[in-house]
Amino acid sequence: MTQKELVILAQQGNHDAFCALYDERKTALYRYAYYKLGNEYDAQDAVSDTVLSAFVQIKELKKAEAFNVWIFRILNASCNKYVKNQINARQNMALDDAINLTSSDRIPDGTVTDVNRALDLLSEQDREIVLLSAVSGFNSKEIAKITGFSHTAVRSRLSRALARMRSALE
């Protein structure tokens, strides 16, 4: 069954069709959230929030072909909420706790990868574009729909961001 057919069935209330749509995108959704948020727990929560929101709102999706972009827009908004929560938590954290915070608190395997360090060098917008491209596999036109940039700006920002990361990794 095609994605379009699954979306139409999901819009008609077919739970199995929605589950199939989620199964197709779950890895990409989680990877994007993980790299954007920096920890597995917030990533899992953001994806859960996204799936619940998408399930409730699927009937409002006007074009079945736009499902991938639509669900990543929801995920992006969810991740932004968690980023704000992380910022607030850091601001409220006692100084002693902040000093004792280690990278193992952010990365499940306890190591900070070179790629994560290179991503940290980018602006939030450029990091988002790189993640949508490299991790989630979206093209520049799809990324433009998610981020609100023009597709030429996305290509330009992606090129510069990847060059900066490449330089940092060398």
Side-chain angles (χ1 to χ4, degrees):
M1 192 170 298
T2 68
Q3 181 174 323
K4 182 177 179 178
E5 292 168 330
L6 288 171
V7 170
I8 292 168
L9 287 173
Q11 289 177 317
Q12 295 169 352
N14 185 314
H15 298 136
D16 292 334
F18 186 84
C19 289
L21 289 167
Y22 169 69
D23 282 343
E24 289 176 358
R25 300 304 298 161
K26 67 183 175 188
T27 302
L29 291 168
Y30 175 77
R31 282 184 184 157
Y32 174 81
Y34 175 78
Y35 281 105
K36 180 151 182 152
L37 299 173
N39 72 71
E40 64 181 310
Y41 304 109
D42 285 348
Q44 290 169 352
D45 289 346
V47 171
S48 293
D49 292 351
T50 298
V51 172
L52 179 60
S53 182
F55 180 76
V56 170
Q57 298 176 42
I58 189 104
K59 291 179 182 175
E60 298 171 24
L61 180 61
K62 291 180 180 24
K63 293 182 180 179
E65 303 83 24
F67 178 80
N68 288 336
V69 169
W70 175 75
I71 199 164
F72 268 88
R73 275 188 167 167
I74 296 171
L75 179 61
N76 186 39
S78 181
C79 286
N80 287 340
K81 179 184 81 173
Y82 280 90
V83 167
K84 287 178 186 174
N85 291 345
Q86 289 174 346
I87 290 168
N88 289 337
R90 284 187 201 119
Q91 289 173 344
N92 295 329
M93 186 184 298
L95 182 57
D96 290 342
D97 292 338
I99 291 169
N100 292 326
L101 186 65
T102 65
S103 61
S104 63
D105 293 319
R106 294 186 322 135
I107 308 297
D109 65 1
T111 62
V112 178
T113 67
D114 291 337
V115 172
N116 282 332
R117 282 195 293 267
L119 281 168
D120 287 342
L121 296 174
L122 304 177
S123 71
E124 183 63 32
Q125 294 167 332
D126 289 347
R127 180 182 174 140
E128 184 174 329
I129 289 170
V130 168
L131 293 176
L132 286 169
S133 175
V135 175
S136 301
F138 286 110
N139 64 39
S140 61
K141 289 183 181 180
E142 293 167 327
I143 295 170
K145 289 178 184 175
I146 294 169
T147 62
F149 292 115
S150 70
H151 69 278
T152 54
V154 167
R155 283 196 304 264
S156 175
R157 291 182 81 112
L158 179 61
S159 177
R160 285 194 307 266
L162 291 175
R164 186 167 185 201
M165 288 180 68
R166 196 174 303 115
S167 174
L169 291 170
E170 291 175 345

